[in-house]
Coordinates of all heavy atoms in Angstrom, one line a residue:
T1 N 0.8 -1.2 0.0 CA 0.0 0.0 0.0 C 0.9 1.3 0.0 O 0.5 2.3 -0.7 CB -0.9 0.0 1.2 OG1 -1.7 -1.2 1.2 CG2 -1.9 1.2 1.2
S2 N 2.0 1.2 0.7 CA 2.9 2.4 0.7 C 3.4 2.7 -0.6 O 3.6 3.8 -1.0 CB 4.0 2.1 1.8 OG 3.5 1.9 3.0
R3 N 3.8 1.6 -1.3 CA 4.4 1.8 -2.7 C 3.2 2.4 -3.6 O 3.4 3.3 -4.4 CB 4.9 0.5 -3.3 CG 6.2 0.1 -2.7 CD 6.8 -1.0 -3.5 NE 5.9 -2.2 -3.8 CZ 5.9 -3.3 -3.0 NH1 6.7 -3.3 -2.0 NH2 5.1 -4.2 -3.4
D4 N 2.0 1.8 -3.4 CA 0.9 2.2 -4.3 C 0.6 3.7 -4.1 O 0.3 4.4 -5.0 CB -0.3 1.3 -3.9 CG -1.5 1.6 -4.7 OD1 -1.4 1.3 -6.0 OD2 -2.6 2.0 -4.3
R5 N 0.6 4.2 -2.8 CA 0.2 5.5 -2.5 C 1.4 6.5 -2.4 O 1.1 7.7 -2.3 CB -0.6 5.5 -1.3 CG -1.8 4.6 -1.3 CD -2.8 4.9 -0.1 NE -3.9 4.0 -0.2 CZ -4.9 4.0 0.7 NH1 -5.0 5.0 1.6 NH2 -5.9 3.2 0.6
G6 N 2.6 6.0 -2.5 CA 3.7 6.9 -2.4 C 3.9 7.4 -1.0 O 4.4 8.5 -0.7
W7 N 3.6 6.6 0.0 CA 3.8 7.0 1.4 C 5.3 6.8 1.7 O 5.9 5.7 1.5 CB 3.0 6.1 2.3 CG 1.5 6.4 2.5 CD1 1.0 7.6 2.3 CD2 0.5 5.5 3.0 NE1 -0.4 7.5 2.5 CE2 -0.7 6.3 2.9 CE3 0.5 4.2 3.4 CZ2 -1.9 5.7 3.3 CZ3 -0.7 3.7 3.7 CH2 -1.9 4.5 3.7
R8 N 5.9 7.7 2.5 CA 7.2 7.6 3.0 C 7.1 6.7 4.2 O 6.2 6.9 5.0 CB 7.8 9.0 3.3 CG 9.2 8.9 3.8 CD 9.8 10.3 4.1 NE 11.0 10.2 4.9 CZ 12.3 10.2 4.3 NH1 12.3 10.2 3.0 NH2 13.3 10.2 5.1
I9 N 8.1 5.8 4.4 CA 8.0 4.8 5.6 C 9.2 4.9 6.5 O 9.1 4.4 7.6 CB 7.7 3.4 5.1 CG1 8.8 3.0 4.1 CG2 6.4 3.2 4.5 CD1 8.7 1.5 3.7
N10 N 10.3 5.4 6.1 CA 11.5 5.8 6.9 C 12.3 4.5 7.3 O 13.4 4.6 7.9 CB 11.1 6.6 8.1 CG 10.7 8.0 7.7 OD1 11.5 8.8 7.3 ND2 9.4 8.3 8.0
G11 N 11.8 3.3 7.1 CA 12.4 2.1 7.5 C 11.6 0.9 7.2 O 10.4 1.1 6.8
S12 N 12.0 -0.2 7.5 CA 11.3 -1.4 7.2 C 10.0 -1.5 8.1 O 9.9 -1.0 9.2 CB 12.1 -2.7 7.5 OG 12.6 -2.8 8.8
I13 N 9.0 -2.1 7.5 CA 7.6 -2.3 8.2 C 7.6 -3.4 9.1 O 8.0 -4.5 8.8 CB 6.5 -2.4 7.2 CG1 6.5 -1.2 6.2 CG2 5.2 -2.5 7.9 CD1 6.0 0.1 6.8
H14 N 7.2 -3.2 10.3 CA 7.0 -4.3 11.3 C 5.6 -4.2 11.9 O 5.2 -3.1 12.3 CB 8.1 -4.3 12.3 CG 7.9 -5.5 13.3 ND1 8.4 -6.7 13.0 CD2 7.4 -5.5 14.6 CE1 8.2 -7.5 14.0 NE2 7.5 -6.8 15.0
V15 N 4.9 -5.3 12.0 CA 3.5 -5.3 12.6 C 3.4 -6.3 13.6 O 3.7 -7.5 13.4 CB 2.4 -5.6 11.4 CG1 1.0 -5.5 12.1 CG2 2.5 -4.5 10.4
D16 N 3.0 -5.9 14.9 CA 2.8 -6.9 15.9 C 1.3 -6.9 16.1 O 0.6 -5.9 16.1 CB 3.4 -6.3 17.3 CG 4.8 -6.6 17.4 OD1 5.3 -7.7 17.0 OD2 5.6 -5.7 17.9
V17 N 0.8 -8.2 16.1 CA -0.7 -8.4 16.4 C -0.9 -8.9 17.8 O -0.2 -9.9 18.2 CB -1.3 -9.4 15.3 CG1 -2.8 -9.6 15.5 CG2 -0.9 -8.9 13.9
M18 N -1.8 -8.2 18.6 CA -1.9 -8.7 20.0 C -3.5 -8.7 20.2 O -4.3 -8.1 19.6 CB -1.4 -7.6 20.9 CG 0.1 -7.4 20.7 SD 0.7 -6.1 21.9 CE 2.4 -6.0 21.5
T19 N -3.8 -9.6 21.2 CA -5.2 -9.7 21.6 C -5.3 -8.9 22.9 O -4.4 -8.8 23.7 CB -5.7 -11.2 21.9 OG1 -4.7 -11.8 22.8 CG2 -5.7 -12.0 20.5
D20 N -6.4 -8.3 23.1 CA -6.6 -7.4 24.2 C -8.1 -7.5 24.6 O -9.0 -7.1 23.8 CB -6.2 -6.0 23.9 CG -6.1 -5.1 25.1 OD1 -6.9 -5.3 26.1 OD2 -5.4 -4.1 25.1
Q21 N -8.4 -8.0 25.8 CA -9.8 -8.1 26.2 C -10.5 -6.8 26.3 O -11.7 -6.7 26.3 CB -9.8 -8.8 27.6 CG -9.3 -10.2 27.7 CD -10.4 -11.2 27.2 OE1 -11.5 -10.7 26.8 NE2 -10.1 -12.5 27.2
R22 N -9.7 -5.6 26.4 CA -10.3 -4.3 26.5 C -10.8 -3.8 25.2 O -11.6 -2.8 25.2 CB -9.3 -3.3 27.1 CG -8.9 -3.6 28.6 CD -7.7 -2.8 29.0 NE -6.6 -3.1 28.1 CZ -5.3 -2.5 28.2 NH1 -5.2 -1.5 29.2 NH2 -4.4 -2.9 27.5
V23 N -10.4 -4.5 24.1 CA -10.8 -4.0 22.8 C -12.2 -4.6 22.5 O -12.4 -5.8 22.6 CB -9.9 -4.4 21.6 CG1 -10.4 -4.0 20.3 CG2 -8.5 -3.8 21.9
P24 N -13.2 -3.8 22.2 CA -14.5 -4.3 21.9 C -14.5 -5.3 20.7 O -13.7 -5.1 19.8 CB -15.4 -3.1 21.6 CG -14.7 -2.0 22.2 CD -13.2 -2.3 22.1
R25 N -15.4 -6.3 20.8 CA -15.4 -7.2 19.7 C -15.9 -6.5 18.4 O -16.8 -5.6 18.4 CB -16.5 -8.3 20.0 CG -16.5 -9.5 19.0 CD -17.3 -10.6 19.5 NE -17.1 -11.8 18.5 CZ -17.7 -13.0 18.7 NH1 -18.5 -13.1 19.8 NH2 -17.6 -13.9 17.9
G26 N -15.2 -6.8 17.3 CA -15.5 -6.2 16.0 C -14.8 -4.9 15.7 O -14.9 -4.3 14.7

């Protein structure tokens, strides 16, 4: 998406996915 839209990213992309009971479902 960054290449598609020409977004500057400043470094490699890293994504952490976490579960959190405080986040509402959906």
Side-chain angles (χ1 to χ4, degrees):
T1 306
S2 298
R3 291 196 303 268
D4 186 64
R5 301 195 184 183
W7 282 338
R8 181 179 169 91
I9 56 176
N10 292 295
S12 59
I13 301 290
H14 182 80
V15 180
D16 282 319
V17 182
M18 301 180 179
T19 57
D20 189 333
Q21 293 282 2
R22 296 168 296 179
V23 178
R25 191 169 184 179

